[in-house]
Amino acid sequence: MVAEQGGPEDQKPQSDEARSAFVPPAGVERRTTASEDDHPTSEFAIPPGLTTEPQGSGPASASGSISGSGTASGADTAGSAFALPSTYSAQHPPPAFTPAHGSPMIRLTKEAPWQDRMRTMLRMPVAERPAPEPVQKPGEAGPAVPRVLDLTLRIGELLLAGGEGAEDVEAAMFAVTRSYGLDRCEPTVTFTLLSISHQPSLVDDPVTASRTVRRRGTDYTRLAAVFRLIDDITTEDVEVSLEEAYRRLAEIRRNRHPYSGWVLTLAGGGLAGAASVLVGGGTLVFVVAAIGAMLGDRLAWLCAGRGLPEFYQFVVAAMPPAALGVALTLTHWSDLQPSAVITGGLFALLPGRALVAGVQDGLTGYYITAAARLLEVMYLFIGIVVGVLLVLYMGVQLGAQLNPETRFVAHDRPVVQILASMALCLAFAILLQQDRSTVLAVTLNGGVAWVIYGAMARTGNISPVLATATAAGLVGLFGQLFSRYRYTSSLPFITAAIGPLLPGSATYFGLLGVAQGNVNAGLASLSTAVATALAIAIGVNLGSEISRLFMRVPGAVGGANRRAAKRTRGF
């Protein structure tokens, strides 16, 4: 017997839909809705009742009308986000961001030196850089990332310690990593710290390594050997494994300097003597200036062996030439031109190499490294000032008749001047430990620079600062061309060639004016020396940049302009 059915409150729901807030109550008619695949709530759907014009209709029918249930085709409706605007004309289309044939592929020519190719890629955005073409075969297991990064940092350390500019150091590090197949590498160079980061992909953790540069030395022979190693690594015809690269790098580090310490001392004396002849001295002045410079060099070596900072080494090195000049004045040997003796000693001490590197880093956008280099130059210059001022002050107290109004008359001996400038460049090249194959080129480069300066400043009566900048520009131009011909660094062809242009005489007369109490005249002469030094540095950099204007830019398509390293405008 079946029990009677109870009331509504005794009935249980047959499914979970009875408890859903979206189920219509009993007695309400359920409407038929479209399937979920139709997406009735899509933001691209046309509301019911809206009629739009078909594609290609004129402006007169641009406004839609609301009528019955008329609709238009999906992609051709004016309400669609993918529809063409009414102002578009196929006959006169607007210029597109991406051309119809696609974006041009950037190809870096193998004929260009690796410096230009790597500098071009460093100045590209990361997304536009071409994929690496590994030159060295890393093996089936892929490149050993930590070892490649360590080798890259060690090579960058030698370049930075040797005085190379920050941009060229980054280009060298970038070239090594790409040659061994590491993509997405970002090198960073400051005055004392090098770091490099490698991220295989956007989802992988980056690998970062760094190295600190604690000691610096001037050895352009070692610098040239490092450039040859990088050139072999980046060349397809030469196979250099990681083990071979480490072995060659160790040999470069262990190599002895091409010139001994006493040869460097004699070169310093020859530099000072040539500079004294350059400003009007004779044979005896040459000998006295050379003796003063050699005494200062030996005293500086003694201080360096005792661990004194480089500042005090420059203070001590500047005192013997100044002391000999004051002694000649006290003994009334005015024919020996004490001013020329002191000026010659200053030529051997002025930090022209560090100044050029500092200004070059600033002009290429590496402001932290440039500020550190220029601060180093300032400290070294202050050391020279302190050493010379101490001796000059003592000489003034002893009654030495040093005449700050004396000016060197040297334009009546052009042949002697040219020979003296070339001898100065030769001695400077030996001091920089240059390879013997580059000494002749840099000597000729310095002689040409002095000829240009003498023709403009002394014959043409043009401003000495402008003449110095022009001559330095030619030094930079020829040095860059020489380096491209030899596939090496431009420093060995530039640094020694600017020796005759250094502001030795302006520095001396400025210090003499300060020592005699004529501060205004002394500061004015020192300002001229600073302006001349900056003109040298800017001229060298400008000459190097001008040389690149005549070279084919790697990766340029249709004569594209060379990208700048940083922002070139104030916004």
Side-chain angles (χ1 to χ4, degrees):
M1 187 173 182
V2 181
E4 294 182 0
Q5 186 176 4
E9 65 277 359
D10 296 334
Q11 295 180 359
K12 295 182 180 181
Q14 301 299 322
S15 65
D16 294 337
E17 292 182 356
R19 298 181 181 179
S20 174
F22 301 98
V23 176
V28 177
E29 181 182 0
R30 183 189 298 266
R31 292 186 179 181
T32 302
T33 59
S35 63
E36 294 182 358
D37 295 336
D38 295 334
H39 299 289
T41 58
S42 173
E43 58 186 11
F44 301 106
I46 306 300
L50 179 62
T51 302
T52 58
E53 61 175 344
Q55 183 178 0
S57 58
S61 59
S63 59
S65 59
I66 299 177
S67 60
S69 58
T71 57
S73 61
D76 296 336
T77 58
S80 174
F82 301 101
L84 295 176
S86 58
T87 57
Y88 177 80
S89 174
Q91 289 78 14
H92 304 284
F97 181 78
T98 303
H101 52 78
S103 299
M105 179 183 296
I106 299 177
R107 295 183 181 274
L108 301 178
T109 59
K110 298 296 184 181
E111 294 79 10
W114 62 265
Q115 299 99 312
D116 293 336
R117 289 187 279 122
M118 296 304 112
R119 187 182 293 110
T120 299
M121 280 190 288
L122 281 174
R123 294 177 178 184
M124 292 180 184
V126 178
E128 297 181 10
R129 292 176 184 171
E133 301 174 3
V135 175
Q136 308 301 330
K137 308 303 183 292
E140 296 181 359
V145 175
R147 296 196 66 193
V148 173
L149 297 184
D150 179 71
L151 175 67
T152 303
L153 289 174
R154 291 178 183 272
I155 291 177
E157 178 190 10
L158 284 180
L159 293 177
L160 188 63
E164 195 65 57
E167 185 181 25
D168 292 329
V169 175
E170 283 195 0
M173 296 170 65
F174 200 67
V176 174
T177 55
R178 289 184 66 88
S179 297
Y180 284 105
L182 296 187
D183 194 13
R184 303 178 64 88
C185 285
E186 287 296 333
T188 303
V189 176
T190 58
F191 185 59
T192 57
L193 181 65
L194 299 97
S195 63
I196 186 167
S197 178
H198 167 64
Q199 189 176 15
S201 64
L202 294 176
V203 297
D204 293 327
D205 295 332
V207 180
T208 303
S210 62
R211 193 171 182 87
T212 302
V213 179
R214 302 189 183 278
R215 296 190 61 184
R216 299 178 183 274
T218 304
D219 190 344
Y220 282 175
T221 301
R222 177 180 296 174
L223 189 68
V226 176
F227 267 76
R228 285 194 295 270
L229 173 60
I230 301 172
D231 188 61
D232 289 343
I233 291 176
T234 56
T235 302
E236 294 181 350
D237 301 334
V238 182
E239 184 175 353
V240 182
S241 63
L242 280 175
E243 290 74 15
E244 177 68 15
Y246 268 107
R247 185 189 63 80
R248 291 180 57 177
L249 191 62
E251 290 180 354
I252 293 173
R253 285 180 174 273
R254 286 196 302 263
N255 279 350
R256 298 178 59 88
H257 299 304
Y259 309 105
S260 62
W262 283 104
V263 174
L264 297 181
T265 300
L266 292 175
L271 192 154
S276 64
V277 175
L278 197 65
V279 294
T283 305
L284 194 54
V285 171
F286 177 93
V287 175
V288 176
I291 292 174
M294 288 188 289
L295 288 175
D297 183 76
R298 286 291 96 189
L299 288 176
W301 276 91
L302 181 63
C303 294
R306 296 296 183 271
L308 289 179
E310 197 172 13
F311 174 83
Y312 300 104
Q313 298 175 29
F314 271 78
V315 172
V316 173
M319 296 178 73
L324 287 179
V326 172
L328 292 177
T329 303
L330 292 175
T331 55
H332 303 289
W333 284 8
S334 58
D335 294 339
L336 292 181
Q337 292 181 318
S339 300
V341 173
I342 301 176
T343 301
L346 290 177
F347 265 89
L349 296 175
L350 292 177
R353 174 182 59 88
L355 175 67
V356 171
V359 175
Q360 180 180 358
D361 287 341
L363 293 177
T364 52
Y366 296 84
Y367 302 115
I368 297 177
T369 307
R373 289 186 189 272
L374 294 178
L375 187 62
E376 179 191 30
V377 171
M378 185 188 72
Y379 272 108
L380 298 181
F381 186 77
I382 291 176
I384 299 172
V385 169
V386 171
V388 175
L389 275 181
L390 287 175
V391 176
L392 291 181
Y393 182 76
M394 293 176 59
V396 170
Q397 298 302 317
L398 293 175
Q401 300 297 322
L402 296 170
N403 186 8
E405 300 298 331
T406 304
R407 288 294 180 268
F408 304 123
V409 180
H411 60 272
D412 55 342
R413 303 186 305 170
V415 177
V416 176
Q417 297 284 308
I418 295 173
L419 293 178
S421 65
M422 296 177 67
L424 190 153
C425 294
L426 175 63
F428 204 172
I430 295 176
L431 282 175
L432 295 173
Q433 302 278 4
Q434 289 192 199
D435 188 72
R436 292 177 176 85
S437 61
T438 64
V439 171
L440 178 60
V442 71
T443 301
L444 295 177
N445 199 9
V448 172
W450 180 257
V451 169
I452 298 299
Y453 171 79
M456 295 181 63
R458 299 185 175 179
T459 304
N461 294 323
I462 300 175
S463 170
V465 176
L466 179 59
T468 301
T470 304
L474 290 177
V475 168
L477 175 62
F478 293 150
Q480 198 66 235
L481 295 178
F482 277 133
S483 68
R484 290 299 181 266
Y485 176 74
R486 298 286 298 271
Y487 286 89
T488 184
S489 172
S490 62
L491 290 181
F493 303 99
I494 291 177
T495 307
I498 65 173
L501 304 176
L502 293 175
S505 58
T507 303
Y508 163 69
F509 286 117
L511 298 179
L512 180 59
V514 173
Q516 292 182 338
N518 193 356
V519 180
N520 292 332
L523 292 180
S525 185
L526 288 177
S527 301
T528 303
V530 173
T532 303
L534 292 177
I536 293 174
I538 296 175
V540 167
N541 180 265
L542 183 60
S544 300
E545 295 297 327
I546 289 176
S547 68
R548 296 192 182 105
L549 294 177
F550 302 101
M551 299 177 184
R552 184 170 181 264
V553 180
V557 179
N561 294 327
R562 175 172 173 260
R563 294 175 182 260
K566 303 292 180 181
R567 293 183 303 175
T568 55
R569 297 176 178 85
F571 51 82

